[in-house]
Amino acid sequence: MADMSGQDPSEIKMATVDEEKKGAAFSGTVILAMDAEGGEVVFFRDFLIEDYQGELTAYLATDGNLTKSIDLGELKHKVPSFKMPIPMGTDTSPYNTVVLRDEKSKKKILTIDL
């Protein structure tokens, strides 16, 4: 992996994903991290989604519960490694999952335990 001069966020919690759900395959690493540029981020590293056509939104959640979550926005699954910023000043300690939800059906597609 190319050195990005310290741009890689420093890990707080990390999960490795290798799952097949509803005919789609998800693989890669998801990290709750401190960003070098300030604040916290959810960092998707080498995150690949195969055979999934819908638009996914990522949430940082407590126990996979979307009523106790932060909407991180639309997943940029066209590129394998990307950061999704968490709003400044957020206490991330209660959050232990990342949930990917289909925007059309509003169904949870994948819950990743951090």
Side-chain angles (χ1 to χ4, degrees), residues 56-108:
L56 293 170
T57 299
Y59 295 84
L60 185 62
T62 303
D63 302 326
N65 184 342
L66 290 179
T67 61
K68 298 177 187 165
S69 71
I70 299 168
D71 183 341
L72 299 173
E74 191 178 305
L75 204 66
K76 304 169 185 69
H77 57 266
K78 309 291 182 260
V79 292
S81 296
F82 54 91
K83 299 184 281 196
M84 300 185 85
I86 296 166
M88 281 292 202
T90 301
D91 174 12
T92 56
S93 57
Y95 301 105
N96 57 5
T97 51
V98 171
V99 177
L100 304 183
R101 185 177 82 160
D102 185 90
E103 269 313 284
K104 250 191 202 112
S105 70
K106 302 293 187 209
K107 286 195 173 103
K108 285 191 218 176

Side-chain angles (χ1 to χ4, degrees), residues 8-14 29 31-34 45:
D8 245 25
S10 55
E11 298 168 13
I12 299 173
K13 297 178 185 171
M14 183 173 104
T29 305
I31 306 164
L32 174 61
M34 294 299 297
R45 186 168 66 204

